[in-house]
């Protein structure tokens, strides 16, 4: 794909819009949801500068501002995926195993291919294109142990100008020899990647020990020291996903009081630490996560696919000590890159634990909640002046089934529920990154060309 042409410095979108004015797990969900049936969003230099009712704002627009109207669409902040493995895209939907056997049989052989930089570049391009087709504009992404897999990912993300978090996997034991680094080698390679990519435009680096089973204590300690080398670094890893894994970790680290304590002891648990899964954790662990300010990534399609268990979302979010929680697709154990599909399964997992995930809570998790989990809620995740203009346009009539169901909806909450139960990439009409149209479902060739076909008026 050629480089995208620059977005017009100033343009506006008109249509139905949703965003959040509060956390719907702490406040009344219906009140936390902001619904503007006919909104105007002014975008200047990649940022939202005005947002409100079209009637109230349109006379205030600077002259000659092009306005794109999205009829029948719902404009939302772009989705945020807090846990996903780009190198596992080629092996999504691998049959039959639970976590540890699945890693051995499918994941490690697939990840070994990323020693080849050209192969990595091809998968990175496909992965990011798929994310944008799903309406996801930011993600916390695992690469492989190979530094070239990280260069491939950030090169493509920088070209698209997406705000992404990613890092080189650290693994110095319990993995095939061609996927192992060493404590010092992993440290040096990570530091070089941090120098190259962290805060390079919109790119952010995450120190990425895969999980406690594949790193020695020495490697985890060095990962903790890496985190202290630069401001604003992230840390991502896996926590308490599967019972056999939890048992193994307790044998590998007999002196630690819990799985989380293995990471905490190495200085890896704090703000901007993102722990995938947290399915089998107790109240003490939730309490420590709350106190430390780290986040859990809820990955329902993955947990169902691998038979890992049911994440206790409402216990994690208990208002007395709320833990930051985002949604993760966790592809390739997850079965879809769509946050709508992920919400579908999150709803069912909540039902299985006796709880009801309100559509406002669901869409908050996929947008503002994910941004909050990542400490990026001052930049992404909501539609408001000052925010980066990462947006998606949802189509509740994307399929005949959805269209007939949407006809029965009387409220915006009903419509959002239809989207999260029946929607997928087909219901993402368009995606904007920093104000630029990067995906147009019905006119793929228009993406990157400002979607000029949709400009319906000039002020
Ligand atoms: N635990 C350690 N590595 C992985 C991985 O790649 N996927 C999942 N789901 N869990 C893991
Ligand atoms: Zn994972």
């Amino acid at each position: 794909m050629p480089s995208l042409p620059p977005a017009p410095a100033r343009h506006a979108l008109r249509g139905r819009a949703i965003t959040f004015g509060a956390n719907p797990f702490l406040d009344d969900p219906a009140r936390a949801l902001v619904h503007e049936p006919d909104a105007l969003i002014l975008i200047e230099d990649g940022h939202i500068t005005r947002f409100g009712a079209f009637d109230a704002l349109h006379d205030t627009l600077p002259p000659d501002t092009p306005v794109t109207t999205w009829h029948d669409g719902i404009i939302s902040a772009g989705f945020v995926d807090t846990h996903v493995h780009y190198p596992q895209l080629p092996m999504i939907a691998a049959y039959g195993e639970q976590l540890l056997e699945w890693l051995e049989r499918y994941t490690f052989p697939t990840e070994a291919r990323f020693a080849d930089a050209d192969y990595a570049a091809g998968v990175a391009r496909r992965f990011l294109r798929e994310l944008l087709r799903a309406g996801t504009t930011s993600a916390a992404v695992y690469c492989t142990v190979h530094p070239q897999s990280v260069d491939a990912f950030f090169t493509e993300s920088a070209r698209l100008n997406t705000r992404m978090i990613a890092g080189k996997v650290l693994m110095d034991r319990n993995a095939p020899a061609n996927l192992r680094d060493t404590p010092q080698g992993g440290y040096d390679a990570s530091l070089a990647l941090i120098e190259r990519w962290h805060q390079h435009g919109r790119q952010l680096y995450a120190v990425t020990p895969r999980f406690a089973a594949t790193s020695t204590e020495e490697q985890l300690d060095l990962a903790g020291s890496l985190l202290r080398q630069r401001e604003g670094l992230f840390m991502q890893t896996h926590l308490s996903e599967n019972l056999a894994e939890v048992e193994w970790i307790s044998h590998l680290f007999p002196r630690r009081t819990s799985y989380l304590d293995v990471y905490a002891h190495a200085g890896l648990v704090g703000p901007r630490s993102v722990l995938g899964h947290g399915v089998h954790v107790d109240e003490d662990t939730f309490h420590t996560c709350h106190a430390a300010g780290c986040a859990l990534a809820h990955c329902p399609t993955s947990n169902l696919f691998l038979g890992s268990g049911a994440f206790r979302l409402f216990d994690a979010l208990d208002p007395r000590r709320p833990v930051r929680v985002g949604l993760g697709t966790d592809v390739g154990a997850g079965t879809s890159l769509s946050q709508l599909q992920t919400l579908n399964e999150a709803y069912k997992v909540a039902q299985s634990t006796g709880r009801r995930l309100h559509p406002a809570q669901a869409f908050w998790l996929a947008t503002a909640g994910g941004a909050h989990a990542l400490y990026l809620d001052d930049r992404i995740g909501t539609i408001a002046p000052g925010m980066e203009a990462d947006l998606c346009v949802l189509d509740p009539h994307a399929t005949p089934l959805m269209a007939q169901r949407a006809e029965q909806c009387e409220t915006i909450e009903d419509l959002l529920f239809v989207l999260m139960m029946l929607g997928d990439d087909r219901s993402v009409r368009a995606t904007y990154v920093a104000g630029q149209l990067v995906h147009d479902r019905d006119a793929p060739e228009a993406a990157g060309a400002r979607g000029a076909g949709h400009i319906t008026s000039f002020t």
Side-chain angles (χ1 to χ4, degrees):
M1 227 197 323
S3 282
L4 300 172
R10 182 174 59 234
H11 66 121
L13 308 182
R14 179 180 181 182
R16 191 172 200 171
I18 57 147
T19 188
F20 292 92
N23 177 340
F25 288 94
L26 301 179
D27 284 307
D28 174 13
R31 272 214 304 275
L33 176 69
V34 175
H35 172 223
E36 183 49 66
D38 184 12
L40 191 73
I41 303 169
L42 179 63
I43 298 168
E44 295 177 282
D45 297 325
H47 287 74
I48 296 165
T49 50
R50 284 182 220 171
F51 170 58
F54 179 82
D55 281 348
L57 286 185
H58 87 281
D59 285 345
T60 72
L61 285 188
D64 301 325
T65 304
V67 181
T68 303
T69 302
W70 290 102
H71 299 286
D72 298 329
I74 300 176
I75 306 171
S76 163
F79 295 132
V80 179
D81 185 342
T82 61
H83 183 113
V84 61
H85 301 252
Y86 99 81
Q88 295 176 12
L89 192 68
M91 49 152 288
I92 189 171
Y95 174 76
E97 307 293 357
Q98 295 213 350
L99 175 64
L100 300 176
E101 298 75 22
W102 174 87
L103 284 172
E104 291 281 346
R105 179 168 171 195
Y106 299 112
T107 313
F108 292 153
T110 302
E111 294 195 3
R113 301 192 64 181
F114 287 72
D116 176 346
D118 290 338
Y119 181 75
V123 178
R125 279 197 293 271
R126 263 192 292 137
F127 173 83
L128 279 157
R129 196 161 58 230
E130 283 299 305
L131 272 194
L132 296 174
R133 288 184 63 255
T136 298
T137 48
S138 285
V141 179
Y142 288 62
C143 302
T144 66
V145 75
H146 315 94
Q148 54 272 41
S149 74
V150 184
D151 286 327
F153 180 79
F154 277 135
T155 298
E156 180 63 2
S157 177
R159 191 184 72 79
L160 292 163
N161 197 23
T162 38
R163 183 168 283 294
M164 290 287 159
I165 302 167
K168 175 196 128 55
V169 162
L170 299 167
M171 246 190 322
D172 69 343
R173 65 167 168 175
N174 292 322
N178 60 348
L179 283 178
R180 285 200 302 265
D181 54 14
T182 60
Q184 194 60 47
Y187 180 96
D188 294 343
S190 300
L191 194 57
L193 290 163
I194 288 167
E195 298 294 351
R196 191 142 66 241
W197 293 112
H198 184 55
Q199 296 172 343
H200 169 92
R202 302 185 79 199
Q203 312 313 313
L204 296 164
Y205 194 87
V207 174
T208 308
R210 176 174 221 116
F211 70 145
T214 46
S215 287
T216 57
E217 199 159 349
E218 185 187 356
Q219 179 160 71
L220 294 176
D221 287 344
L222 278 174
S225 124
L226 262 178
L227 265 187
R228 296 187 288 276
Q229 300 304 309
R230 294 288 178 279
E231 280 299 307
L233 287 169
F234 290 75
M235 194 290 298
Q236 57 185 352
T237 189
H238 295 83
L239 175 79
S240 300
E241 174 178 0
N242 161 290
L243 287 173
E245 170 214 9
V246 172
E247 174 76 10
W248 191 21
I249 300 303
S250 70
H251 289 293
L252 289 171
F253 295 89
R255 286 181 301 159
R256 302 279 80 87
T257 57
S258 68
Y259 197 152
L260 184 64
D261 187 44
V262 174
Y263 298 134
H265 189 261
L268 292 170
V269 177
R272 293 185 305 281
S273 301
V274 187
L275 303 153
H277 304 283
V279 170
H280 304 285
V281 298
D282 58 12
E283 173 57 27
D284 276 357
T285 292
F286 282 142
H287 186 84
T288 307
C289 288
H290 166 77
C294 67
L296 295 175
H298 175 26
C299 306
T301 76
S302 166
N303 293 337
L304 290 166
F305 181 72
L306 291 181
S308 301
F311 178 67
R312 288 164 18 244
L313 175 66
F314 286 85
D315 288 345
L317 290 164
D318 186 332
R320 289 169 297 183
R321 47 117 196 83
V323 176
R324 290 172 191 248
V325 177
L327 274 186
T329 61
D330 195 27
V331 163
T335 49
S336 171
L337 284 174
S338 166
Q339 291 288 10
L340 298 173
Q341 282 287 292
T342 306
L343 288 175
N344 170 323
E345 302 298 353
Y347 179 80
K348 296 171 190 168
V349 171
Q351 281 278 39
S352 79
T353 65
R355 303 302 298 260
R356 200 175 291 163
L357 182 63
H358 187 282
Q361 294 173 327
F363 276 79
W364 181 85
L365 278 176
T367 56
H372 178 68
L374 299 173
Y375 289 79
L376 291 174
D377 45 331
D378 57 339
R379 302 174 194 193
I380 59 169
T382 48
I383 303 177
M387 304 298 284
E388 296 170 356
D390 292 345
L391 302 162
C392 61
V393 183
L394 302 171
D395 175 5
H397 302 88
T399 67
L401 182 69
M402 291 181 75
Q404 65 84 28
R405 180 62 184 82
E407 289 312 310
Q408 317 298 316
C409 290
E410 291 180 354
T411 65
I412 184 67
E413 286 90 346
D414 287 347
L415 213 45
L416 293 177
F417 192 61
V418 168
L419 271 166
M420 68 186 254
M421 297 315 295
L422 303 179
D424 53 30
D425 53 326
R426 293 170 296 180
S427 8
V428 177
R429 177 69 184 79
T431 307
Y432 290 86
V433 164
Q436 168 130 357
L437 184 72
V438 291
H439 166 62
D440 184 334
R441 183 194 66 192
D442 297 347
E445 69 288 351
R450 305 179 188 178
H454 300 287
I455 293 174
T456 53
S457 61
F458 289 85
T459 52

